[in-house]
């Protein structure tokens, strides 16, 4: 049957349209991402390790998680700057080597202070991989293929996380130290793959004697923060990211309080990863040629009111499952679309910084979201929490409506046109508009 599917001309055409036309270097980066997430055991099981294996309190585990998030927030900006200054590949390789070493060390740490400090370093190094990875994709892949490339990369992340979560539970039975060591080893393998197979993609320096200021406009972090259209996108993403954070925190608490068993919770929340693996590619193909602004509006409404549906679930695991299905569709629509937009907004010589600031919105959400959601759940109850999630999704959707009107909102996903959102910043002298086709590094460089 598998042979018949492969031989089917229509299936072969669909596969070619989905994965074809992307640079070889992108696929090495994709493999590295998949391997890295397949071994990403520690982040997923850190709280469980601290409370069950080491016997620390839940409040201490929360403190460690916050320090991990603080490290991630610092890394988002620092790695973005380094990716532009010293290059994408050295920043990514250094971050992966740092993650491998700090993860292995964390497995041997004892004492609350030592564990907290090393967890901060793990968060710092782990999140430092995001800005250079996103910048490499933007450098390698033409504008018309970026949403597809980011979708494929996001697909690899979710395949890896889904499988690692399932396998980690079995490995942990034989000792949590094995999880730390395997996580470190897989990250080390990724660093080697990047070093050998992925070339430096940072735009070339100005030729000797050339007008350096004309060839390479100075782009600092202040330039990024003053880019109003881009920061509007970051702010809207932060609002939506705060909603998504409830999926791994307050949703579990509410389901447990409603009488949902841990087995049922695992099956319900597992739908998120399963649906992303199954639907990411088909939905990405459906998104091609459609209005980016329209997709972002729809994604915000699906995400916000997907969580909002949890207010009606009561003690029904089926209704909670329906809620997960709806907000997962929003996640699938939002992630690659927003990442493609950020890549196009970023000027060529500032992609690392722009991706770093965008990554900062997710880090801040992981730091603030669980605390804000937990406080709202305790003080006002689940109904209010899920209603607020719906309202946040609606506010983000209205924000994209306003942003789309300001910039014309006519850009389409999967075309070779560069979004017009960058134009106001360029006209104001804040940053140059991105080029239509970014420079590509020669193979094997």
């Amino acid at each position: 049957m598998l042979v018949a599917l492969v031989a089917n001309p229509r299936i072969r055409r669909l596969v070619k349209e989905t994965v074809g036309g992307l640079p070889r270097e992108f696929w090495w980066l994709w493999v590295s991402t998949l391997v890295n997430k397949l071994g990403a055991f520690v982040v997923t099981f850190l709280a469980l390790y601290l409370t069950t294996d080491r016997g620390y309190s839940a409040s201490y585990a929360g403190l460690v998680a916050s320090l991990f998030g603080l490290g991630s927030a610092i890394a988002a900006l620092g790695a973005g700057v380094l990716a532009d200054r010293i290059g994408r590949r050295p920043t990514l390789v250094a971050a992966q080597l740092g993650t491998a070493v700090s993860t292995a060390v964390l497995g041997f740490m004892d004492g609350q202070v030592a564990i907290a400090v090393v967890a901060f370093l793990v968060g710092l190094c782990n999140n430092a991989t995001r800005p250079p990875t996103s910048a490499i994709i933007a450098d390698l892949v033409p504008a018309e293929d970026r949403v597809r490339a980011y979708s494929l990369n996001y697909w690899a992340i979710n395949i890896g996380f889904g499988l690692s979560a399932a396998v980690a539970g079995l490995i942990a039975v034989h000792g949590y130290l094995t999880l730390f060591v395997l996580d470190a080893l897989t990250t080390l393998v990724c660093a080697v793959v990047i070093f050998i197979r992925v070339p430096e993609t940072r735009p070339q320096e100005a030729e000797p004697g050339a007008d350096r200021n004309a060839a390479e406009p100075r782009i600092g972090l202040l330039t990024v923060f003053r880019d109003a259209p881009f920061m509007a996108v970051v702010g809207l993403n932060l609002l939506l990211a705060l909603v998504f954070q409830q999926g791994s925190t307050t949703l579990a608490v509410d389901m447990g309080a409603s009488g949902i068993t841990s087995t049922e919770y695992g099956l319900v929340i597992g739908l998120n990863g399963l649906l992303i693996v199954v639907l990411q590619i088909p939905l990405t193909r459906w998104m091609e040629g459609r209005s980016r602004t329209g997709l972002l509006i729809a994604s915000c409404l699906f995400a916000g009111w997907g969580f909002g549906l949890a207010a009606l679930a009561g003690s029904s695991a089926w209704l909670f499952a329906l809620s997960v299905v709806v907000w997962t569709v929003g996640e699938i629509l939002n992630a690659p679309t927003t990442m493609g937009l950020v890549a196009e907004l970023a000027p060529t010589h500032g992609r690392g910084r722009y991706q770093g600031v965008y990554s900062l919105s997710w880090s801040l959400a992981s730091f603030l979201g669980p605390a804000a959601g937990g406080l709202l759940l305790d003080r006002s109850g689940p109904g209010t929490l899920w209603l607020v999630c719906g309202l946040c999704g609606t506010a983000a959707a209205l924000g994209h409506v306003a942003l789309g009107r300001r910039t014309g909102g006519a850009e389409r996903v999967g075309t070779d046109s560069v979004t017009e959102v960058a134009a106001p910043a360029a006209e104001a002298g804040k940053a140059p508009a991105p080029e239509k086709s970014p420079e590509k590094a020669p193979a094997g460089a």
Side-chain angles (χ1 to χ4, degrees):
M1 182 178 178
L2 180 61
V3 175
L5 285 174
V6 173
N8 188 302
R10 184 171 180 273
I11 298 297
R12 293 173 62 184
R13 178 176 59 82
L14 290 175
V15 172
K16 184 177 180 180
E17 290 175 355
T18 301
V19 304
L22 297 174
R24 180 180 58 188
E25 295 83 1
F26 165 80
W27 287 111
W28 281 113
L29 185 67
W30 187 90
V31 169
S32 172
T33 299
L34 178 62
V35 172
N36 195 6
K37 299 310 176 184
L38 282 171
F41 305 127
V42 171
V43 175
T44 306
F45 279 75
L46 183 58
L48 194 62
Y49 161 72
L50 292 174
T51 54
T52 61
D53 188 72
R54 304 305 296 270
Y56 293 120
S57 66
S59 59
Y60 173 74
L63 173 63
V64 171
S66 295
L67 288 173
F68 183 95
L70 179 61
S72 298
I74 296 172
L77 296 180
V81 172
L82 290 175
D84 285 339
R85 286 189 175 178
I86 69 174
R88 285 48 157 143
R89 184 171 66 170
T91 302
L92 181 54
V93 171
Q96 289 178 329
L97 291 176
T99 302
V101 172
S102 58
T103 298
V105 170
L106 183 60
F108 292 95
M109 283 294 99
D110 194 15
Q112 293 187 358
V113 175
I115 290 175
V117 170
V118 178
F120 169 81
L121 294 176
V122 174
L124 186 71
C125 296
N126 184 67
N127 200 55
T129 63
R130 295 179 66 172
T133 298
S134 298
I136 288 173
I137 295 175
D139 292 336
L140 287 174
V141 180
E144 63 269 21
D145 292 325
R146 282 189 196 135
V147 170
R148 182 160 59 98
Y150 282 120
S151 291
L152 289 167
N153 194 63
Y154 192 64
W155 191 47
I157 290 172
N158 281 279
I159 292 175
F161 264 129
L163 292 177
S164 70
V167 174
L170 300 176
I171 298 176
V173 174
H174 303 285
Y176 277 91
L177 181 60
T178 307
L179 294 181
F180 288 88
V181 173
L182 288 177
D183 195 330
L185 288 175
T186 55
T187 306
L188 182 62
V189 169
C190 294
V192 173
V193 170
I194 296 298
F195 182 77
I196 296 176
R197 290 296 183 179
V198 178
E200 177 54 61
T201 63
R202 185 169 62 118
Q204 297 296 315
E205 300 287 337
E207 295 295 332
D211 185 347
R212 187 179 182 86
N213 289 328
E216 296 182 44
R218 293 182 60 83
I219 300 172
L221 281 176
L222 285 178
T223 305
V224 182
F225 286 118
R226 289 171 181 166
D227 187 341
F230 170 74
M231 290 307 298
V233 173
V234 172
L236 294 174
N237 187 72
L238 173 60
L239 186 60
L240 201 63
L242 290 170
V243 174
F244 280 125
Q245 285 299 316
Q246 308 313 311
S248 57
T249 55
T250 52
L251 180 62
V253 176
D254 184 26
M255 290 180 68
S258 299
I260 305 298
T261 67
S262 58
T263 300
E264 289 173 325
Y265 169 74
L267 292 173
V268 169
I269 202 64
L271 281 173
N272 175 248
L274 176 63
L275 288 173
I276 290 175
V277 172
V278 173
L279 297 180
Q280 183 72 64
I281 301 305
L283 280 180
T284 298
R285 287 182 50 80
W286 173 83
M287 289 158 58
E288 292 180 359
R290 300 182 186 277
S291 165
R292 174 181 284 127
T293 299
L295 290 172
L296 290 172
I297 292 170
S299 70
C300 292
L301 294 175
F302 271 103
W305 290 107
F307 279 97
L309 283 174
L312 306 176
S315 59
S316 171
W318 288 103
L319 288 179
F320 276 114
L322 176 62
S323 168
V324 171
V325 170
V326 174
W327 61 256
T328 297
V329 172
E331 181 181 355
I332 293 172
L333 295 177
N334 183 268
T337 308
T338 303
M339 293 174 73
L341 174 58
V342 170
E344 292 184 1
L345 287 174
T348 303
H349 294 276
R351 284 181 179 139
R353 288 174 173 86
Y354 272 70
Q355 292 290 349
V357 173
Y358 167 69
S359 179
L360 178 63
S361 65
W362 285 103
S363 299
L364 288 175
S366 67
F367 184 69
L368 300 173
L375 184 63
L376 195 58
L377 183 62
D378 286 340
R379 296 287 180 85
S380 304
T384 301
L385 169 65
W386 304 129
L387 176 61
V388 169
C389 286
L391 294 176
C392 286
T394 302
L398 292 174
H400 281 295
V401 171
L403 188 62
R405 287 179 177 175
R406 177 180 176 182
T407 60
E411 69 278 4
R412 303 260 167 191
V413 170
T415 67
D416 60 2
S417 61
V418 175
T419 178
E420 299 172 11
V421 174
E427 292 169 1
K430 298 174 183 175
E435 297 175 6
K436 197 173 212 179
S437 297
E439 299 91 336
K440 292 185 181 180

